């Protein structure tokens, strides 16, 4: 069964550094998402992406964050200047059609030191 | 704005028994989707079951079924014949069908289910 793939599984970065989290959605999917989960808390929506543009973003998704689909297969989340509070599990998800459920990757655990 | 509430932070069930996890939500929309996701210790997010609000029939997937009460805005998950592998965090989630909302999922706080042998 096709899967959403996220790399790396764990990223350790110094505060203030830039980090790029990578995702390869399922190939025929059209809608892409990033969510984050701070340890022990609920999963929070960050951003949705469709037709090569952001369709919705949350208050968390400020100017430090950006998303890109550089080559038609990868979907990346960039955090420009990481803060301690960015430490979390970041999930990528994708969806084929409007009425289909989202499929999640295994997540990237981001640790900011 | 829509909200999802799971009022049971933790639940416990004996192996082979049945357990029900509660979820309530708030929305002014008449059509939407509801989901239950399972997150085992590996922290993957696995879709368990989904329900379309316009369907009156409760969704079932093998040992998993839901009790969808639209008027009460309640969406509980019943796990029958519980197995050790069912131990996980369970999240209830809501999704609007309004296109310009991007199809994001709104999650509840989660219920940690433990299964006793």
């Amino acid at each position: 069964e096709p899967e959403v793939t996220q790399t790396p599984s764990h990223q350790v970065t110094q505060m203030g550094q830039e980090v790029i989290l990578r995702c390869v959605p399922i190939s025929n999917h059209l809608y892409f998402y990033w969510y984050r989960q701070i340890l022990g808390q609920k999963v929070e929506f960050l951003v949705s992406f469709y037709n090569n543009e952001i369709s919705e973003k949350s208050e968390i998704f400020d100017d430090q964050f950006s998303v890109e689909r550089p080559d038609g297969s990868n979907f990346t989340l960039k955090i420009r200047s990481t803060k301690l509070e960015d430490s979390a599990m970041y999930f990528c998800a994708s969806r084929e059609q409007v009425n289909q459920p989202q499929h999640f990757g295994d997540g990237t655990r981001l640790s900011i030191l | 704005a829509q909200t999802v509430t799971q009022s049971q932070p933790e639940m416990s069930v004996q192996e082979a028994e049945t357990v029900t996890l509660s979820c309530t939500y708030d929305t002014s929309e008449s059509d939407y989707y509801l989901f239950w996701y399972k997150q085992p210790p590996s922290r993957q997010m696995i879709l368990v079951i989904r329900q379309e609000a316009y369907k009156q029939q409760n969704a079932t997937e093998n040992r998993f079924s839901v009790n969808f009460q639209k008027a009460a805005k309640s969406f509980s998950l019943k796990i029958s014949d519980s197995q050790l592998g069912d131990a996980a965090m369970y999240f209830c989630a809501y999704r609007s069908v309004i296109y310009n909302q991007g199809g994001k999922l709104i999650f509840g706080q989660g219920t940690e289910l433990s299964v006793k042998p």
Side-chain angles (χ1 to χ4, degrees), chain A residues 33 35 37 39 42-43 45 48 50 55-56 89 91 95 98-102 104 106, chain B residues 33 35 37 39 43-45 47 50 91 95 99-105 107-109:
Chain A
Y33 304 85
Y35 295 85
Q37 185 183 30
L39 187 64
K42 68 178 178 180
V43 180
F45 167 75
S48 58
Y50 171 72
S55 47
E56 188 180 4
M89 193 77 156
F91 290 101
R95 176 163 64 90
V98 171
N99 62 347
Q100 296 298 308
Q102 293 178 24
F104 282 77
D106 289 349
Chain B
Y33 297 98
F35 305 86
Y37 280 87
Q39 188 180 44
R43 300 194 76 184
Q44 295 171 286
M45 291 290 287
L47 176 65
R50 73 167 181 164
F91 289 100
R95 193 181 95 205
Y99 175 72
N100 63 4
Q101 291 200 6
K104 70 183 177 191
L105 290 170
F107 286 89
Q109 304 92 321

Side-chain angles (χ1 to χ4, degrees), chain A residues 5-55:
Chain A
T5 306
Q6 288 186 245
T7 55
S9 56
H10 190 193
Q11 174 80 45
V12 182
T13 301
Q14 290 290 329
M15 185 174 63
Q17 295 296 305
E18 175 182 286
V19 67
I20 297 175
L21 308 183
R22 302 182 191 278
C23 171
V24 179
I26 296 172
S27 61
N28 62 337
H29 284 195
L30 303 175
Y31 301 82
F32 313 110
Y33 304 85
W34 283 102
Y35 295 85
R36 81 170 185 192
Q37 185 183 30
I38 295 170
L39 187 64
Q41 298 187 21
K42 68 178 178 180
V43 180
E44 300 172 288
F45 167 75
L46 290 178
V47 65
S48 58
F49 193 87
Y50 171 72
N51 201 24
N52 284 320
E53 61 182 20
I54 291 173
S55 47

Side-chain angles (χ1 to χ4, degrees), chain A residues 95 97-102, chain B residues 33-37 47-55 57-61 66 75 77 93 95:
Chain A
R95 176 163 64 90
Q97 297 290 346
V98 171
N99 62 347
Q100 296 298 308
Q102 293 178 24
Chain B
Y33 297 98
L34 295 165
F35 305 86
W36 280 97
Y37 280 87
L47 176 65
V48 175
I49 199 165
R50 73 167 181 164
Q51 174 81 41
E52 290 93 339
Y54 67 86
K55 289 187 178 177
Q57 186 173 7
N58 290 321
T60 62
E61 283 288 340
V66 298
F75 182 61
L77 175 69
R95 193 181 95 205

